[in-house]
Structure formats: structure tokens, C-alpha cells
Amino acid sequence: MRPWTPGLFRRQGYAATGMKQIVAEAGAPYGSAYHFFPGGKAQLGEEVIRTSGAAYLELIGSLFADPGADPAAATAAAFTGAAETLRELDFADPCPIATVALEVACTHEGLRRATADVFASWIEALAARYAGAGIGTDTARDTAGSVIALLEGAFMLARAAHDTAPVRTAARAAAAVVRDALESG
């Protein structure tokens, strides 16, 4: 059931995705859902958030595979790639973490915590990459937080507009933030 749930959460959100639908998508017997997830949809949701978050975290590492690459250019390239992926997906499914976070931040503490942990892991990983490029630790963390915020906000605007322009604009802004951090050390 885990492989089918992230796509459903990205497209429909957490509340609109029911256990029956998840089980049907997985082709599993209904009773198996509560056998493997005795905490129900909430338990499955938290596991999916954490698993999906870890998979997206690997993408951050792959963007900076070349330690000598310019971090501002790598950041801009990541946004450009994300814009293309968003267009290829017809503006659906950009980030299961953000979709769920926006939906449950005030209503479900376990899922809120899981999404916050995932975002924090992304920021820490990106901050480590920026620090490795010569940006001071605190500045690297602030820079990484700004870059993640720019990307997630750009996804939301792009989906609403059905246009990649917000992601491309955010790419330039993110690269500028990274360049500024590199210059200030």
C-alpha cells in the first residue's frame, strides 16, 4: 500500500484519500490495511510522509553530486528541472509533503510533525551542501531554508497558474540567495 499512497496524497490530499481507495489501488485485501497499519490511515500517512521525504532527500544529494559545482548554478538547475517535471506532470503531483502539510498542519499533530521533520531534514541536507561550498553554518541553514521555501511556494503558484513561470522566477531568486550567501561567507 505504501507505493500507491504518495501519488494519491499528492493528487487528492490526505483527507480526500480513503483507506478503501488505497487498498483498491494496491490490489490488497481490505483487512490487510489494518493488519499492517493498526493505527489506520494516520499511521500509513506518517510512514508515507517519512518515506517520501527520504526519497526526495536523495534528489538533493544528487543535485550536488559534483563537489566542485557552483552551488548557485546547481540550485537554479534544480528549480529548472523541477519546472520541467511539473509541466510533464500537467501541474499535478509536485510534492506529497507540501500537499499534506498545508492540509493538516492545524488538524493532525502526528502528520504535522512528520511533515515538519521531513522539511527539516531537507533543509539540513541542503545546508550541509552549502556549508561544504564555503558558506558559514548559520548562513547555510538560513539559505537552505529560503531555497526550500522558494521552491515549495513556487510549486503552489505554478499549480494555481498552470504555468512554470513561478518556478523559473524562483530559480533566479534562489540562485541569487545562494550567490549572496557565498559572497558573505
Side-chain angles (χ1 to χ4, degrees):
M1 286 176 273
R2 281 186 203 104
W4 288 270
T5 307
L8 292 170
F9 283 175
R10 283 191 308 261
R11 283 189 305 276
Q12 301 172 177
Y14 175 78
T17 303
M19 284 299 278
K20 287 182 181 180
Q21 183 182 19
I22 293 167
V23 170
E25 289 278 327
Y30 189 73
S32 66
Y34 291 98
H35 172 76
F36 292 107
F37 302 101
K41 187 170 98 171
Q43 180 186 1
L44 175 60
E46 287 181 39
E47 287 187 29
V48 164
I49 292 297
R50 293 183 190 284
T51 303
S52 296
Y56 279 65
L57 181 60
E58 289 179 22
L59 290 174
I60 292 172
S62 70
L63 297 172
F64 294 91
D66 177 6
D70 171 34
T75 299
F79 277 66
T80 301
E84 286 307 309
T85 300
L86 189 58
R87 186 188 51 72
E88 290 167 5
L89 294 172
D90 198 28
F91 299 89
D93 305 346
C95 179
I97 312 309
T99 301
V100 174
L102 289 169
E103 183 180 6
V104 301
C106 295
T107 59
H108 194 291
E109 181 59 18
L111 289 171
R112 184 210 58 79
R113 196 173 328 105
T115 59
D117 290 347
V118 167
F119 285 133
S121 74
W122 295 354
I123 291 167
E124 288 305 311
L126 193 53
R129 298 293 181 159
Y130 290 150
I135 299 173
T137 304
D138 290 340
T139 303
R141 189 172 294 108
D142 290 346
T143 300
S146 296
V147 167
I148 296 295
L150 280 164
L151 182 61
E152 294 296 341
F155 279 155
M156 182 177 57
L157 294 173
R159 288 182 78 188
H162 210 74
D163 186 354
T164 61
V167 181
R168 294 181 191 287
T169 299
R172 292 188 296 276
V177 167
V178 174
R179 274 194 298 282
D180 184 54
L182 284 165
E183 290 171 8
S184 67

